[in-house]
Amino acid sequence: EAREETQRLAAEAQAKREAERQRLLSASFDEKQRILAQLEAEAFDEKRRMESEAMEERRSLEAEAQAKRQTELQRFRETSLAERERIAAQLKAQAAAERDRLAYQTRETESRLAAEARAQSEEARMLEEAR
């Protein structure tokens, strides 16, 4: 799902870059300068928005995981020793899976941000060449 969203965003960004490139090719020098400044500001805002969304998503996931841990801890306190040992093993496995999931999502988000940054750099390079 995240990969599909990343691909969709990348396709939209590519289409937008191509439209801007075509507009730049036919624009005057002053117009190119204005467009370039506008695009740089938009790229900066978009990068900040994506970073903010990624941080908010991570906070939400961490809060959800903390709530789960608290619930499990309460349940753990109310059970027998044998049951506690079984639950402890289960919680260890869940914690490892959660760490792996968060690490994967972090890598996916970083990958998406890096791809966008590369695209923005390419766009800036094309705009610079167009100047």
Side-chain angles (χ1 to χ4, degrees):
E1 200 173 288
R3 190 170 296 147
E4 290 172 3
E5 178 68 9
T6 299
Q7 289 172 344
R8 185 186 65 76
L9 290 173
E12 288 176 5
Q14 179 63 31
K16 184 178 176 182
R17 284 192 297 277
E18 182 58 28
E20 290 299 327
R21 189 178 76 75
Q22 291 299 322
R23 200 171 103 201
L24 275 174
L25 291 174
S26 63
S28 69
F29 179 76
D30 288 341
E31 180 67 7
K32 286 179 183 178
Q33 293 293 336
R34 187 192 65 70
I35 291 169
L36 178 60
Q38 178 185 352
L39 289 173
E40 287 172 346
E42 288 174 4
F44 180 79
D45 291 346
E46 181 65 12
K47 181 180 177 189
R48 290 290 177 238
R49 183 190 65 75
M50 288 173 57
E51 288 172 347
S52 177
E53 285 177 5
M55 288 180 74
E56 185 60 36
E57 181 178 341
R58 183 175 178 110
R59 282 187 200 118
S60 173
L61 290 171
E62 288 172 348
E64 187 179 304
Q66 178 65 23
K68 278 183 181 177
R69 285 190 296 271
Q70 290 298 332
T71 301
E72 289 298 324
L73 182 59
Q74 184 61 35
R75 194 176 99 210
F76 184 78
R77 289 180 181 138
E78 297 168 355
T79 58
S80 68
L81 180 59
E83 182 68 7
R84 285 182 186 185
E85 289 173 351
R86 186 191 66 73
I87 292 171
Q90 180 184 8
L91 290 176
K92 280 184 180 180
Q94 287 174 350
E98 184 68 18
R99 274 193 313 276
D100 292 347
R101 186 175 68 84
L102 286 174
Y104 174 78
Q105 287 181 331
T106 299
R107 286 192 305 274
E108 283 290 312
T109 300
E110 288 170 350
S111 175
R112 187 178 72 216
L113 290 174
E116 186 61 28
R118 285 191 301 275
Q120 289 173 1
S121 294
E122 178 64 17
E123 183 178 328
R125 185 191 61 74
M126 289 189 322
L127 293 173
E128 207 45 52
E129 287 177 2
R131 266 199 257 172

